[in-house]
Amino acid sequence: MQPQVTPPRPSPLKVSVVGAGLGGLTAALGLRRSGHSVQIFEASQIKTETAAGLGIQTNPLRVLRAFGFSKDNLECNANEGVTVFDAETGLGSAHPWSGHKNVHDLELRSVMCHRSDLHDELKRLAMGEGRGLPVQLHLDSKAVACEPESGTITLANGETIAADLVIAADGLHSTSRTSIVGYPVNPPLSGYTCFRFLLDASSLPDIADLAWLTDSGVPGPRAIFWKTKSLKLLFVYPVRNGALINVAAFFEDADQLESGKPGTATREEVLEIFRDAQPKFLRIMDLPLVGPIAKWPLRAVPVLPTWIRGRAALLGDAAHGTLPLLGQGAAMAIEDAGVLSALLPFGTKAEDIPARLEAYQELRKARGEFINIESIEQATVPQKRGFFSRCE
């Protein structure tokens, strides 16, 4: 009798994730849960997320729940729809999210949270106790080069890291993208700028003119539109159980090309640009600021010929960063991470990775590009503004 040959036991893939933002952490978490050995290399010395609000919709919540996430661990606010106001008349109407009609699981209904709270929870899930080997996070470890065919990255200190798979999740200004796409990509300025800031809501009940923030049949954001050809929009919603108010104020910025760099602004600058709104909307600036007013020149990644090469793949903003006018930027990064994790279960061989990345691109590229283009057209095509909130 021939002795039985025991097949070799599968081993985990070695994965290098470049960037510890929401997309990179979600990808690391998913691949950890699949049984792989994951390291994240983050350029900053202390990785923190922007002090701003974030919507988490049903589509990313499906992925996050599969990765052990519960929104109960965040101080979320319900997001059941949007109330749209005319900036000049002050009149508004509520639009419940039609997609919630078929979402009977409350855990999957959209919420609003503080961006850093979601980041902290993903980091806890990726690096703490749980299924698989904890993810290793290396701060002050900027990747300056990537060799997609061999799966190696080079850090600013000269160290070379070899892996079976490289995930470039290093954002809009990705350094790894050049090696994957084959040429440098500098996301152009859009001509639109956003003020982003947080306000202390504790004195909200004392300001009668701010009843529009709370008096509505649908909990969720307030969108204040100007009926002008150029984009002008205030997007306002509560986070941290209503303790803070998040404001994103979008406008066409003729001066953007002079610097194109993020900066800060004053209350007076915000009030001057949005001075033609109904006074009740401007009274929101009477609430105390929590931190500075960020002035954020908006850019978008042009449609790329590929997201993959060899053993490397782009993910999130590095692949499809866009204007935040559909609120789906983080959602798309989380979806990317979910698909990658599903395509790379434990037992995947290193030699199978290029083919699995082809499948990743086939499943994700068209969707990511659709969201990218449609988000841009929320600014550039006036007829499309608010279209998706009105869809049944």
Side-chain angles (χ1 to χ4, degrees):
M1 175 181 284
Q2 292 286 337
Q4 286 191 336
V5 178
T6 304
R9 298 183 65 180
S11 58
L13 296 173
K14 295 179 180 179
V15 183
S16 293
V17 178
V18 181
L22 298 178
L25 277 174
T26 307
L29 168 60
L31 290 166
R32 169 204 175 160
R33 290 174 63 86
S34 294
H36 302 304
S37 176
V38 186
Q39 298 187 81
I40 304 177
F41 299 90
E42 167 58 40
S44 61
Q45 293 181 350
I46 302 174
K47 177 59 182 174
T48 57
E49 277 295 301
T50 304
L54 177 73
I56 316 177
Q57 302 85 2
T58 298
N59 50 319
L61 281 171
R62 292 186 190 280
V63 177
L64 292 173
R65 187 166 73 168
F67 290 171
F69 169 88
S70 172
K71 63 187 183 184
D72 292 339
N73 293 335
L74 304 181
E75 296 177 289
C76 297
N77 283 76
N79 181 4
E80 295 294 333
V82 61
T83 303
V84 178
F85 290 95
D86 184 307
E88 294 163 326
T89 67
L91 298 177
S93 58
H95 301 267
W97 301 128
S98 57
H100 277 187
K101 294 176 183 176
N102 300 316
V103 181
H104 305 298
D105 186 340
L106 295 180
E107 186 69 15
L108 294 177
R109 294 176 84 92
S110 303
V111 293
M112 303 167 295
C113 72
H114 195 292
R115 192 178 184 95
S116 66
D117 293 345
L118 176 59
H119 186 268
D120 289 346
E121 178 65 5
L122 289 173
K123 188 162 63 173
R124 183 188 69 81
L125 290 168
M127 299 174 62
E129 294 182 2
R131 185 196 305 177
L133 297 169
V135 171
Q136 297 179 51
L137 173 60
H138 305 278
L139 297 173
D140 196 17
S141 299
K142 180 178 176 61
V144 296
C146 171
E147 175 42 62
E149 299 298 339
S150 63
T152 60
I153 60 171
T154 302
L155 304 181
N157 64 5
E159 184 181 1
T160 299
I161 309 296
D164 299 309
L165 169 66
V166 175
I167 299 173
D170 47 345
L172 203 67
H173 300 286
S174 169
T175 58
S176 308
R177 185 169 52 216
T178 299
S179 301
I180 295 172
V181 176
Y183 57 87
V185 177
N186 182 27
L189 289 162
S190 65
Y192 300 95
T193 292
C194 176
F195 295 126
R196 298 176 68 175
F197 52 96
L198 293 166
L199 299 166
D200 184 342
S202 59
S203 57
L204 185 60
D206 302 327
I207 305 176
D209 284 349
L210 293 182
W212 56 272
L213 271 172
T214 53
D215 293 351
S216 171
V218 56
R222 307 298 189 250
I224 301 144
F225 282 95
W226 275 254
K227 293 179 179 178
T228 55
K229 184 176 180 180
S230 61
L231 175 71
K232 208 170 185 182
L233 165 67
L234 292 173
F235 201 70
V236 184
Y237 56 87
V239 296
R240 287 194 174 157
N241 291 331
L244 299 174
I245 301 294
N246 178 77
V247 181
F250 301 91
F251 63 100
E252 190 168 9
D253 187 0
D255 300 325
Q256 190 185 71
L257 294 177
E258 290 187 11
S259 72
K261 296 180 180 178
T264 57
T266 63
R267 289 177 186 268
E268 291 71 26
E269 188 176 352
V270 176
L271 289 168
E272 173 61 22
I273 289 173
F274 294 93
R275 64 186 181 278
D276 52 349
Q278 276 280 319
K280 67 178 182 179
F281 298 128
L282 300 182
R283 289 295 306 279
I284 197 168
M285 298 303 294
D286 293 345
L287 294 172
L289 278 167
V290 179
I293 298 174
K295 189 175 184 180
W296 184 27
L298 300 179
R299 299 174 182 263
V301 174
V303 172
L304 302 174
T306 186
W307 291 5
I308 60 171
R309 183 180 295 256
R311 298 175 181 275
L314 298 171
L315 181 145
D317 281 355
H320 47 69
T322 190
L323 310 191
L325 292 170
L326 287 180
Q328 281 284 311
M332 290 300 100
I334 291 167
E335 283 189 10
D336 291 348
V339 169
L340 261 182
S341 299
L343 290 170
L344 298 166
F346 187 74
T348 301
K349 298 176 182 178
E351 56 265 33
D352 295 334
I353 286 176
R356 301 294 172 93
L357 295 185
E358 290 279 0
Y360 163 70
Q361 175 157 276
E362 181 68 23
L363 290 167
R364 291 300 306 159
K365 193 168 186 289
R367 179 165 168 81
E369 290 170 354
F370 172 79
I371 296 296
N372 186 345
I373 292 167
E374 290 293 333
S375 297
I376 294 168
E377 290 185 349
Q378 289 291 301
T380 60
V381 182
Q383 297 85 348
K384 284 197 170 185
R385 290 175 196 157
F387 170 76
F388 291 98
S389 68
R390 297 190 298 270
C391 290
E392 289 294 335

